[in-house]
Amino acid sequence: MSGVLTWAQLREVKCSELEDAADGWGRASNRADAARDRIDKQLLAGLAASQEGEAAEAAVTRLRELSRNFQYVYTECGLVRTTLNSFAFELRGTQRKLVDALDDAEVLKFTVHEDGSVSFPAGGENALTREELPGGKAAGSAVPPLLAPPPAFTGPSPNPNAAKAQDIADRIARAVSEARAVDLQYTGTLRKLTAQDGLKVTDAMWTDASGDATAVRDLASDYLADAIPGDKTPAERKAWWDGLTQEEREEYLAVYPDRIGNVDGIPAEVRDAANRDNLQLLMGKLEGQGDEKSQTRLAGLRSIDEQLRAGGNPPMYLLGIGDEGNGRAIVAYGNPDTARNVSAYVPGLGTALDEDFAKNDLKRARDTAVGAREYDPSSAAIVWLGYDAPQLSADDITGNADVMSADQAQVGATAYNEFMSGISATNQNEDPHVTAIGHSYGSLTVGQAAQRPGGIPGADDIVLLGSPGTGADSADDLGVGRKHVFVGAAENDPVTAMPAKVEARGMAMGAGSGAAVGMAMGGPVGAVVGSVGAGAAAYFAQDAQADDREIWYGTDPAHEAFGAQRFRVGDGPRPIGDGGGFAAHSNYFNPAEDEESADNIALIVAGRGREISTQEHR
C-alpha cells in the first residue's frame, strides 16, 4: 500500500494475495535448502570419499562456498515469507475491526462517508420542546477512548443515534490508523530484506542477515513465537511440533531457529537443521563485534561449523547453540533419537564456548561414540554445555577455599534434567539405554541432577570421571542403584584428591603465612618455598583431623564408603614429579592416552557395564 490509506482501500485488501506471495518465497527458500542439502550430503561427501589432491580440495572449497550461499538464500527468503505472512495476519485483524464497524453502520442505516465520518438520522426528542432531535454527522478519532477528552455537554436528551455513530466512526478511524502503522512497519522491514549484487555471500552479509532475523522475529512474535510451548514438558513440546503442518514447521525453522533448535522435546534432526542455521546467524552477529570475548566465542563457533561441514562418521548433530552466559553448545555423534544407547557428557571447570571446547570436548564425545559403536553400532554420544561452568583456574581454587561453590552445578542440574527428559521424549526405541556422564565439576552437576526428585530422566547408568565429589554421601543417593554408578579416578589426578574444605582452608592459610615469612627471609624465591612448605604442613595438620572419605564436595566417589563401581584407568603422569600438571585429569576419554579408561567408558555407554575392568577402591 502507498499514499494515505483509506477505509475503502483497507476493506478491499486481499490478505490472501499476501499469503500467496509468502508461499512463493517459501518455495524459493525450500529449493535453496534442498540445494544446500544435496551439496553437503551428496557432492561433498562423495568428493571426500573418492577424490584426493589439489583439484579435489579446490572443488571442496568452492562447493562449501556455494553451500553457504544457498544457506543465505534459504534464510533470507524464509524471512521474507514470514514477514509477508505476519503482515497478512496483522492486517487481517485490523480489516476485521473495520468490517465489523461497517456492518454495524449498515444495520443501523447509517451512512459512512469517504473520509470515515458517519451520518445518522433524526431520533429521540427534545425534553423541553418535545420536537424530534435532528440527525447529524460524527467525525471519527483514532485516540483510544480512555485517552480521549470527555465530550462537551450538548444539552439534555441528545439524539441516541449520535453516540452510536460516534462509536462507529471512532472504530473506523482506529482500524485505519492501526493498518497504516502496520503497513509502515512492515514496509520498512521488507525494504531491509534485500541482498547485495553478486554471487558471493560475505561475512558482512551474514551480519546483516542476523539483524534481519532479529527484526522479523520482533514482528512475528504474535504470529509465531507466542505459540512455542516454552513452559510445557518436553513430551508436550514434541506433541506440539508433531501437530504442526509442514508449512508451519518451515516458517518456525526459517525465523526462529534459535528457539526451535534449543527446545527440549523437538526431534534431533529438526534441532540440528535449526541450529546449523542459527550458527550462521550467531557468527554473523559476532563478526560485527570486535571485543575479545566475542572474538573468542566466534573462534569456537567457526571451529564447530568447520567440523559440521566436514561431516564424518559418526555423523554430527548440533542439538543446541547459543551465546548466553559463557556460551551454549550441545553436540551429538550419532542420532540420539534412533540410537538404542545414548550418553550425555557434562564438562566441568573452565569450560566455555571457545576453540578449546570445540577441539577437546567435542573430541571426547566423539571418542565415546566411536568406542561404544564397536560394541553396539546403535550408540550415540553427546557433549552437553548447557550451563555456565565455573571459570576458575587452579590458582583460584587453592588461593581461596570458598571460591568454588556448587551454585552453578545446581542451576545446571535443572537444565540437564530438562534436556535428558527431551532425550527420553524423542528417542524412538521402546526402552533406550541412557548414560549420564560427568567430568570434573560436571560430575557435581550430574550428581546434583541425580539427587533431584525422580533422578535424571531416563538414566540407567551414571559415570563420574575426575570427580571432586557429587554432594552425595553414597552412590545409593544417585537414583540408579550403586551397581549402576561407575567411577574413574586416576591416581595422579589432583582434582580427585582435592582436599576437603577444612583441609584446603588450612593449606591456604599456611601457604599465606609461609609466603610472608619466606619473603622476609629470602625475597620472592623464599616466598614460593615458604608458601609450598607451610601450605603442605598445614594441609597434613588438617588432614590428620579430617575424614579420609571426604573431598571437596562430600564423599570421594572412588572411596569404598561411597559404594560405586570403580573401573580401571591409567595413573597418568604425576603433577609435579613428572611435570604432568593436570594431564591425568584430561585423559579419561582419550584412547590414545588411556586406552583402558576409554574402553571402560565405551562398555558402560553400550550397556555392557558388567564387562568393565575394575580397580580397587580408595
Side-chain angles (χ1 to χ4, degrees), residues 239-306:
W240 167 77
W241 181 261
D242 290 345
L244 296 176
T245 66
Q246 182 61 30
E247 291 75 16
E248 289 170 330
R249 293 177 186 173
E250 289 170 0
E251 279 205 78
Y252 276 112
L253 287 171
V255 181
Y256 290 103
D258 57 326
R259 297 280 299 276
I260 299 302
N262 291 287
V263 171
D264 297 318
I266 300 294
E269 289 189 346
V270 176
R271 292 181 70 164
D272 177 62
N275 284 314
R276 287 179 188 238
D277 293 332
N278 191 40
L279 176 60
Q280 301 303 316
L281 295 174
L282 283 174
M283 289 192 296
K285 173 184 173 182
L286 294 174
E287 286 282 358
Q289 301 174 11
D291 61 285
E292 182 178 355
K293 180 180 178 181
S294 296
Q295 293 306 303
T296 297
R297 186 161 298 171
L298 179 59
L301 292 174
R302 282 174 173 165
S303 180
I304 293 173
D305 184 52
E306 289 171 3

Side-chain angles (χ1 to χ4, degrees), residues 500-577:
K501 292 182 180 180
V502 64
E503 299 170 307
R505 290 191 186 98
M507 184 164 57
M509 291 171 63
S513 61
V517 173
M519 175 66 78
M521 297 178 62
V525 175
V528 173
V529 174
S531 174
V532 173
Y539 167 73
F540 286 117
Q542 292 285 359
D543 188 50
Q545 305 175 38
D547 188 334
D548 69 351
R549 296 174 297 180
E550 296 299 307
I551 55 175
W552 194 270
Y553 295 112
T555 304
D556 179 0
H559 197 282
E560 61 181 351
F562 193 76
Q565 295 200 64
R566 186 182 184 190
F567 58 86
R568 187 171 296 281
V569 304
D571 289 346
R574 291 175 296 174
I576 299 176

Side-chain angles (χ1 to χ4, degrees), residues 329-333 342-349 351 356-357 359-369 380-387 416 419-420 434-443 445-446 463-465 585-586 588-589 601 605:
I330 308 170
V331 179
Y333 289 88
V342 181
S343 69
Y345 141 61
V346 183
L349 193 68
T351 308
D356 182 73
F357 169 82
K359 176 182 176 182
N360 295 317
D361 289 286
L362 264 63
K363 182 180 182 300
R364 289 169 181 167
R366 186 180 187 281
D367 285 342
T368 300
I382 301 166
V383 54
W384 181 86
L385 180 59
Y387 79 125
Y416 183 69
F419 174 76
M420 296 299 276
V434 178
T435 305
I437 303 175
H439 175 238
S440 187
Y441 188 89
S443 69
T445 303
V446 168
V463 178
L464 308 172
L465 302 165
H585 185 62
S586 304
Y588 295 101
F589 297 91
I601 294 170
V605 169

Side-chain angles (χ1 to χ4, degrees), residues 39-172:
I39 290 171
D40 291 346
K41 295 182 178 180
Q42 296 181 31
L43 300 180
L44 283 173
L47 271 175
S50 62
Q51 302 294 323
E52 294 182 358
E54 293 184 5
E57 291 176 3
V60 165
T61 299
R62 295 294 298 274
L63 283 171
R64 285 179 177 167
E65 185 176 283
L66 184 59
S67 171
R68 193 167 186 242
N69 289 357
F70 275 125
Q71 187 165 22
Y72 178 81
V73 173
Y74 160 76
T75 298
E76 289 290 288
C77 289
L79 293 176
V80 174
R81 170 192 192 171
T82 296
T83 302
L84 290 171
N85 274 331
S86 184
F87 186 20
F89 175 80
E90 291 204 38
L91 201 58
R92 185 176 277 116
T94 62
Q95 191 180 52
R96 182 71 264 166
K97 294 176 183 178
L98 171 69
V99 171
D100 287 345
L102 295 176
D103 287 346
D104 289 346
E106 184 177 2
V107 169
L108 293 169
K109 304 287 195 267
F110 292 174
T111 301
V112 179
H113 300 282
E114 186 176 340
D115 62 357
S117 61
V118 178
S119 294
F120 56 91
E125 65 177 22
N126 187 300
L128 298 177
T129 65
R130 301 297 179 181
E131 294 179 354
E132 187 177 40
L133 293 169
K137 182 188 291 187
S141 171
V143 179
L146 293 178
L147 300 179
F153 180 72
T154 57
S157 304
N159 186 333
N161 291 321
K164 297 175 183 178
Q166 187 65 58
D167 174 67
I168 292 172
D170 288 346
R171 286 158 58 196
I172 291 172

